[in-house]
Amino acid sequence: MALHFPVYVSLFTLTIPLHAITETLGMFLGFRYFLYLRKQQGDRLPDPNRLWVIIGAIFGALLGSRILGALEDPVALWSGPNPLRYIYENKTIVGGLLGGLAGVESIKLAIGEKQSSGDLFTYPLILALIIGRIGCFSMGVHEETYGLPTALPWGMNLGDGLLRHPVSLYEIAFLLILAGLLYIIQQKYTLISGARFQLFMIGYLLFRFLLDFIKPGARYFIGLGSIQLACLAGLIYYGRTIIAPSRLIQKQYA
């Protein structure tokens, strides 16, 4: 059965885009999974500090996702009648992750919290991203989460008659593989606090940097888009870990 994009779901008397449902469901299930992991594994942060970290993550992610999302198409941003509305209506996951990271680190600096706080977020984030990307795929070419045309056999008609890279499906597959690799690494090595989140961020930012070569969009410096430049900035931030990944393994003392 052929899919027709965008995909809508009928709910009683309402017709709702599937993406709106998956976006909300992803955030809800991701947060519930975070609470479950926190209860099962414990938390290095006291309750008040964890609350401040969550607040920092939320506001940082909201701001970062919309600013970077708007910069994906600077012509549309500045030529439109209301740039602020354009910023509000556009968002990107990379901006959300990097903005959330900046928000968390800023809050931790302000309250004097020195413990790593990201490990508990890692698997819930992956779950939320997978569910959200199902919604992105359901929008076809009606949202800027589609790929360039391709002659590869798995190219898909996403609503405009062209066979395109189904980049949302690529990302779902990558996230499942990344979650499996993180689990294997945890079983094989004793990692320092925060290592799981660092590995997730490095893996995702590298993947998105490469993925955006097969996505349309404005190009800035040396043919790179705004998301790719943001990914590079994030990878530079984790440069010490990339150069010496062994620093993530907890040292064993006799």
Side-chain angles (χ1 to χ4, degrees), residues 15-35:
T15 301
I16 306 171
L18 178 61
H19 192 196
I21 297 173
T22 58
E23 194 171 57
T24 304
L25 186 64
M27 290 186 289
F28 173 76
L29 291 179
F31 187 66
R32 294 302 304 177
Y33 188 28
F34 162 78
L35 294 177

Side-chain angles (χ1 to χ4, degrees), residues 5-248:
F5 300 97
V7 177
Y8 288 90
V9 175
S10 295
L11 187 63
F12 303 111
T13 59
L14 300 174
T15 301
I16 306 171
L18 178 61
H19 192 196
I21 297 173
T22 58
E23 194 171 57
T24 304
L25 186 64
M27 290 186 289
F28 173 76
L29 291 179
F31 187 66
R32 294 302 304 177
Y33 188 28
F34 162 78
L35 294 177
Y36 169 79
L37 291 178
R38 188 168 186 251
K39 183 177 180 181
Q40 293 295 314
Q41 301 176 10
D43 193 348
R44 291 173 172 267
L45 273 62
D47 288 349
N49 287 7
R50 175 58 72 179
L51 178 59
W52 279 115
V53 163
I54 291 173
I55 292 172
I58 291 172
F59 281 96
L62 286 173
L63 186 62
S65 67
R66 278 159 174 78
I67 290 176
L68 188 58
L71 290 175
E72 284 191 81
D73 191 344
V75 175
L77 170 62
W78 297 115
S79 63
N82 192 333
L84 288 178
R85 181 176 177 180
Y86 184 84
I87 292 172
Y88 175 77
E89 291 176 345
N90 284 272
K91 55 186 181 294
T92 175
I93 288 171
V94 170
L97 290 173
L98 293 177
L101 175 64
V104 167
E105 294 304 319
S106 298
I107 285 289
K108 285 167 63 178
L109 182 63
I111 64 176
E113 178 58 65
K114 299 185 183 301
Q115 295 279 356
S116 296
S117 58
D119 281 348
L120 280 174
F121 289 130
T122 304
Y123 290 124
L125 270 173
I126 291 174
L127 175 62
L129 289 175
I130 289 172
I131 296 172
R133 281 310 187 198
I134 294 171
C136 292
F137 172 71
S138 74
M139 292 300 295
V141 295
H142 299 276
E143 188 177 89
E144 293 182 3
T145 51
Y146 55 88
L148 293 173
T150 179
L152 292 171
W154 54 80
M156 298 183 67
N157 178 3
L158 300 175
D160 62 353
L162 300 175
L163 295 180
R164 295 181 176 274
H165 286 285
V167 291
S168 294
L169 299 185
Y170 294 172
E171 188 165 330
I172 290 171
F174 169 78
L175 289 167
L176 289 170
I177 293 169
L178 180 59
L181 287 175
L182 290 175
Y183 178 78
I184 292 170
I185 291 170
Q186 283 181 251
Q187 298 304 306
K188 188 173 182 180
Y189 301 102
T190 301
L191 302 177
I192 63 171
S193 177
R196 185 195 309 161
F197 183 75
Q198 289 188 54
L199 290 171
F200 160 72
M201 287 292 286
I202 291 168
Y204 186 78
L205 291 173
L206 179 59
F207 170 78
R208 282 302 306 270
F209 175 79
L210 297 173
L211 185 72
D212 275 47
F213 281 113
I214 56 171
K215 292 179 65 177
R219 300 301 182 207
Y220 289 80
F221 181 66
I222 60 170
L224 300 178
S226 59
I227 289 178
Q228 290 175 302
L229 292 172
C231 287
L232 280 180
L235 291 170
I236 291 171
Y237 176 80
Y238 288 111
R240 289 178 60 198
T241 299
I242 295 172
I243 293 170
S246 61
R247 64 192 300 269
L248 297 181

